[in-house]
Amino acid sequence: MKKSTFLIICALFLYVTGTKATDVSGTVTSNTTWTAAGSPYIVVNNIEVYPGITLTIENGVEVKFNSGRYLYVRGTLNATGVKFTGNAGVTKGFWDGIYVSYEYNEVGNVNLTNCTVEYASNLYIRKGQLTLNNCLVNNLSGTIRIHTSQCTLNIDNTTISNTNFPITYYAPGVINPGSNIVFSNNAYNFVDIDFSEVNELFWLKNFGQPYFNDNSIQVRAAGTLKMDPGVNLQIQNTEIRIYGKIKAIGTKEKPVIFDKSPASSYWLGLNILNSSIDTACIVKNAIICNANYNYHEWYQALEIENASPTIDSCLFYGNAYNLHIYGDSKPVISNTVLRKSITTASEAFNLIMDMNANPTFTNDSIQFNNTEIRAIGIRENTVSSKTARLKKINFAGINNISYFLYNNTTVHDTASLTIDPGVVIKTRYYSQLIGNGKITAIGTDAEPIVFTHLADDTYGNPADTQNDGTQTPGVSN
């Protein structure tokens, strides 16, 4: 009986000592290991791991943070099979989070494998690298924050759940995705792009989750927006403007997608502008859709201004206006489908250009809804080029599509416009082509150049350009 009592007392002693917590705070100035025997570790005040120092946390350790506390890593943190959680509650944002260094400090390195991080505000990557391998990030009040272009997130086989945005860019850092990355039950299951200015390479890689932006991405002259096959960028009430380079190159099986976010009212399209680098602006195997803003016709799904990008094997659909080309623009557009506009009125919505532009279309197709004008719209402008040319343009099933002249186009007194044989230009009664400079319009017997009214179905392709189902030559509109 005495022997049994002794064994029970020993067992109780082992149980009590095995659950005694270890309080930690302050600086880690030499290589240190937090062992399973010392678990749980209670972070009573903030922890700072010094540069060149490694903090190793053993498998099975639980690290509990008091309210508002954080772990700040200017050196290296290696943790495997560790749970990082709050000490006295299960509310989101109870403790602050883990910091990967700071912008003006040394490069930090945090490696978490088979770990759980819960009830923090954020995981902060400010300068350095965070690696999440087979981890669960759960119940953050914020996000995983990529603060600068000096930040890298390596993520593989990891679930992020019950947060706000799972991951947020505040600058064009780097995400290196592996496989099996799951966003679950977050307020927004996107990667949030929460900044505007791109002055370097910003590379969006495909890891099976959509990206989101509501700040207007502005790719400056020194910047590049690179999008891998399968990337889905969803945009809310704003636009993407390219002053530098864009390489949005998908595949037939995995197109790059530009789309409106589900919660937004509209998005304003992709704009490739006059300072962009022509040879470095390529949009291929992409879908540009649901740019449904129809308040002003110059907001197109794709606007090209004084630029000459390559557009290949793309699909436009669900847009108020598909394509707008103006200024000294010579884009090469091939194997592309322009589906019908969603705007229902008697105007040209699908494709609009001015007479300074000289696009090349090859093996493309265009469709029209039941009310829009079935022609290429020519916007009101002044021709300033000495080599402006209005040429025949063919689409699948519509050879030599008609042009429709909006209002007046004036050829400047130093400019020159050539209109090719066979071109058909239709107008309303108030529209004029005014030649202060040089206009060369020489047709042939087989291919006359035709200027006529919009309602004249005798000429043009489609003949019923007005799309009213009648043939009424000479009727004013």
Side-chain angles (χ1 to χ4, degrees):
M1 181 65 184
K2 290 182 179 180
K3 183 176 181 180
S4 297
T5 303
F6 176 76
L7 289 174
I8 292 170
I9 292 172
C10 288
L12 289 171
F13 176 77
L14 288 171
Y15 173 79
V16 171
T17 56
T19 58
K20 184 178 180 181
T22 303
D23 290 346
V24 288
S25 64
T27 58
V28 180
T29 57
S30 61
N31 293 337
T32 300
T33 299
W34 292 355
T35 65
S39 182
Y41 288 81
I42 310 300
V43 180
V44 295
N45 278 303
N46 301 326
I47 300 287
E48 181 177 349
V49 180
Y50 267 31
I53 301 303
T54 299
L55 172 62
T56 301
I57 307 179
E58 289 185 347
N59 185 52
V61 168
E62 190 171 29
V63 181
K64 295 184 174 182
F65 290 77
N66 280 355
S67 177
R69 302 309 181 203
Y70 59 78
L71 174 55
Y72 175 27
V73 182
R74 296 169 59 192
T76 299
L77 168 64
N78 294 323
T80 301
V82 176
K83 185 176 185 179
F84 299 88
T85 189
N87 185 33
V90 289
T91 57
K92 295 180 179 181
F94 178 80
W95 58 286
D96 188 8
I98 299 174
Y99 286 78
V100 182
S101 197
Y102 210 79
E103 288 85 336
Y104 49 78
N105 285 337
E106 300 78 9
V107 173
N109 188 15
V110 173
N111 303 297
L112 306 183
T113 301
N114 297 320
C115 291
T116 296
V117 182
E118 62 184 13
Y119 304 117
S121 293
N122 300 282
L123 291 177
Y124 303 86
I125 316 171
R126 302 198 72 115
K127 186 178 180 181
Q129 179 172 273
L130 170 64
T131 298
L132 300 174
N133 182 20
N134 196 34
C135 291
L136 172 62
V137 180
N138 189 36
N139 283 302
L140 303 187
S141 61
T143 182
I144 300 175
R145 300 168 64 107
I146 299 173
H147 276 269
T148 71
S149 59
Q150 302 176 74
C151 299
T152 299
L153 171 63
N154 305 309
I155 182 168
D156 183 52
N157 196 36
T158 289
T159 296
I160 305 173
S161 61
N162 301 300
T163 68
N164 188 23
F165 281 101
I167 302 170
T168 300
Y169 284 102
Y170 291 92
V174 176
I175 297 177
N176 292 318
S179 59
N180 194 30
I181 300 164
V182 177
F183 292 173
S184 173
N185 201 36
N186 301 288
Y188 306 95
N189 284 312
F190 305 105
V191 176
D192 183 22
I193 302 171
D194 196 18
F195 71 97
S196 180
E197 299 286 320
V198 177
N199 290 292
E200 56 226 290
L201 174 64
F202 183 36
W203 189 350
L204 299 183
K205 302 178 182 180
N206 179 24
F207 56 95
Q209 304 294 343
Y211 293 86
F212 170 87
N213 176 259
D214 61 359
N215 280 328
S216 179
I217 297 174
Q218 309 271 337
V219 181
R220 297 302 177 184
T224 299
L225 176 61
K226 182 177 180 181
M227 302 172 70
D228 279 357
V231 164
N232 183 342
L233 176 54
Q234 301 194 1
I235 305 151
Q236 179 167 304
N237 303 348
T238 189
E239 62 194 338
I240 302 172
R241 299 179 68 83
I242 307 296
Y243 301 93
K245 305 173 185 177
I246 180 171
K247 292 185 180 294
I249 302 176
T251 64
K252 184 177 180 180
E253 295 76 22
K254 293 183 177 181
V256 172
I257 298 174
F258 299 87
D259 198 357
K260 178 174 72 72
S261 74
S264 67
S265 300
Y266 59 85
W267 78 283
L268 298 175
L270 171 64
N271 307 316
I272 302 178
L273 303 168
N274 57 350
S275 63
S276 61
I277 311 303
D278 292 339
T279 57
C281 288
I282 302 171
V283 181
K284 183 175 182 180
N285 286 308
I287 297 173
I288 303 177
C289 59
N290 299 316
N292 61 333
Y293 189 79
N294 63 359
Y295 179 73
H296 195 287
E297 66 187 40
W298 308 136
Y299 285 109
Q300 303 276 330
L302 176 60
E303 177 183 325
I304 300 171
E305 175 194 354
N306 293 303
S308 302
T310 297
I311 311 298
D312 183 22
S313 302
C314 293
L315 171 63
F316 292 73
Y317 75 85
N319 302 309
Y321 309 92
N322 277 328
L323 182 58
H324 183 191
I325 307 168
Y326 62 102
D328 185 18
S329 297
K330 300 178 179 65
V332 176
I333 303 169
S334 57
N335 308 305
T336 289
V337 176
L338 303 173
R339 288 193 181 161
K340 62 186 179 182
S341 168
I342 63 169
T343 305
T344 54
S346 297
E347 301 293 343
F349 300 116
N350 204 313
L351 170 56
I352 301 173
M353 56 181 279
D354 71 23
M355 289 191 184
N356 290 296
N358 187 15
T360 297
F361 289 91
T362 305
N363 196 34
D364 303 293
S365 66
I366 189 168
Q367 302 166 9
F368 300 99
N369 66 36
N370 293 330
T371 62
E372 64 183 315
I373 291 174
R374 300 190 294 176
I376 297 175
I378 300 294
R379 61 172 287 189
E380 181 178 11
N381 74 298
T382 296
V383 177
S384 57
S385 171
K386 296 180 185 299
T387 58
R389 179 185 172 200
L390 202 61
K391 61 189 179 184
K392 294 190 297 184
I393 292 177
N394 299 324
F395 289 96
I398 309 176
N399 290 329
N400 189 18
I401 190 170
S402 302
Y403 291 94
F404 171 63
L405 183 64
Y406 273 102
N407 298 322
N408 297 337
T409 288
T410 300
V411 180
H412 190 268
D413 55 9
T414 62
S416 177
L417 169 66
T418 298
I419 303 175
D420 283 0
V423 166
V424 177
I425 301 173
K426 297 189 176 185
T427 72
R428 293 196 173 103
Y429 67 90
Y430 48 76
S431 300
Q432 302 178 71
L433 178 59
I434 303 169
N436 292 336
K438 181 179 180 181
I439 299 177
T440 303
I442 302 174
T444 67
D445 289 342
E447 292 191 300
I449 296 169
V450 177
F451 296 86
T452 189
H453 190 271
L454 174 63
D456 186 353
D457 295 350
T458 307
Y459 299 97
N461 193 16
D464 182 17
T465 307
Q466 194 168 230
N467 203 359
D468 62 357
T470 62
Q471 294 185 2
T472 52
V475 175
S476 295
N477 188 359

